[in-house]
Amino acid sequence: MIDFGALTEAVGDLDEDVMVEILEKVMDEGGSEAQAALDACQKGMDTVGSLFEEGEYFVGDLIYAGELMTKAVEILKDGLVSGDGSGETKTRMILCTVKDDLHDIGKNIVRSMLEAAGFDVLDLGIDVPAEKIIETAKAEDIHIIGLSGVLTLAIDSMKNTIDAMKDAGIRDQVKVVIGGAPVNADVCVQTGADAWASSPQTTIDHCKSWAAAMA
Ligand code: B12
């Protein structure tokens, strides 16, 4: 029996030893609870964020929390990914963190899971300006774009990016899915994206249905 509350607490307390111990137990038991464990870790990151806002934690703690989350994904990876894309022609897509935002842990998780689901993901990295995304989509003939952002100001960057796609005349030819902590249905409407997701699985579902319609 996995104690997910203790896992959330360990991440919130930045207690690497306890976190690793619980995650290894999840994998020793076959990894079927890997997604639930990831969700528990993500809740722990919310605690870290709140303690940062309250002045209890500092930027160094955020950096360490990021390293913990990366480690958590490394341990859980085999339980998170359900590969079914091998052998098929892979749909290429772009994924990146939008301009002015440097957070990439969530994006990297989404990338790993999209790849496992059979997508060929062109990861443009962090703090990516609209021009680079548009240039790449045109040059590589890409029709699915995932935009990630964790800061509130990332919402503006997402909107600006999608507006720039309209100005460049490619908006009708691409599907855009957005994600990250501040993203919800309202933000989806506000930015003009086609879809939004808060979990990698929902992201995969959107991208798969678009890829099927484009095939
Ligand atoms: C770790 C962290 C950092 C690390 C990031 C390391 C890294 N390599 O990413 C570092 C130290 C660099 C950092 C820096 C800063 N941070 Co910071 N950070 C965090 C923290 C604690 C965790 C973020 C995280 O990784 N969460 C875990 C991941 C897995 O969750 P996720 O990103 O939401 O991803 C999931 C889903 O959203 C979805 N998803 C993600 N991407 C995508 C994309 C698509 C297309 C789809 C469909 C789905 C999807 O799937 C993922 C998996 O389930 C958050 C607090 C929090 N609760 O989020 C603060 C937080 C985001 N940071 C914050 C701040 C203020 C900062 C700084 C300004 C601090 C400073 N004074 O310097 C800088 C900003 C730098 C910048 N310009 O971006 C604030 C943002 C406030 C705001 N509302 O804008 C937060 C909320 C903390 C807080 N409560 O104050 N940070």
Side-chain angles (χ1 to χ4, degrees):
M1 183 73 179
I2 304 293
D3 186 344
F4 292 112
L7 180 55
T8 297
E9 208 173 301
V11 174
D13 290 346
L14 304 177
D15 188 335
E16 181 171 356
D17 291 346
V18 173
M19 181 194 84
V20 169
E21 193 184 311
I22 299 175
L23 295 178
E24 284 179 345
K25 191 164 175 235
V26 169
M27 295 315 287
D28 287 346
E29 290 181 3
S32 64
E33 299 206 270
Q35 183 58 53
L38 182 67
D39 293 344
C41 292
Q42 214 167 313
K43 264 198 206 162
M45 295 298 260
D46 292 342
T47 310
V48 172
S50 303
L51 290 171
F52 173 73
E53 272 177 26
E54 288 162 20
E56 290 258 336
Y57 280 174
F58 300 97
V59 172
D61 298 307
L62 289 186
I63 294 171
Y64 186 58
E67 286 167 10
L68 282 190
M69 196 72 194
T70 304
K71 182 153 201 172
V73 174
E74 244 167 60
I75 297 172
L76 295 171
K77 200 173 170 191
D78 290 344
L80 291 173
V81 294
S82 52
D84 60 356
S86 57
E88 292 171 19
T89 308
K90 294 189 173 195
T91 302
R92 299 190 78 207
M93 63 175 288
I94 288 173
L95 185 66
C96 66
T97 301
V98 292
K99 188 165 179 340
D100 296 329
D101 197 329
L102 307 178
H103 295 80
D104 66 358
I105 297 167
K107 168 183 72 65
N108 294 343
I109 294 172
V110 171
R111 186 191 65 211
S112 300
M113 295 190 65
L114 280 165
E115 284 174 347
F119 286 86
D120 179 3
V121 181
L122 201 50
D123 185 345
L124 301 183
I126 55 176
D127 188 18
V128 182
E131 301 74 45
K132 184 166 180 194
I133 299 168
I134 293 166
E135 202 178 283
T136 310
K138 280 183 175 170
E140 305 283 337
D141 193 27
I142 285 174
H143 302 279
I144 300 179
I145 299 175
L147 302 177
S148 179
V150 173
L151 298 176
T152 309
L153 62 78
I155 296 172
D156 289 337
S157 294
M158 287 174 178
K159 183 174 184 336
N160 293 340
T161 302
I162 294 169
D163 285 347
M165 290 175 193
K166 288 181 196 153
D167 294 343
I170 66 160
R171 183 67 188 92
D172 295 346
Q173 295 136 48
V174 293
K175 290 288 185 189
V176 181
V177 58
I178 58 172
V183 171
N184 55 36
D186 288 341
V187 170
C188 187
V189 173
Q190 188 188 330
T191 56
D194 295 294
W196 72 282
S198 59
S199 77
Q201 191 53 56
T202 317
T203 314
I204 291 167
D205 294 343
H206 288 306
C207 294
K208 277 195 164 172
S209 72
W210 290 332
M214 287 167 191

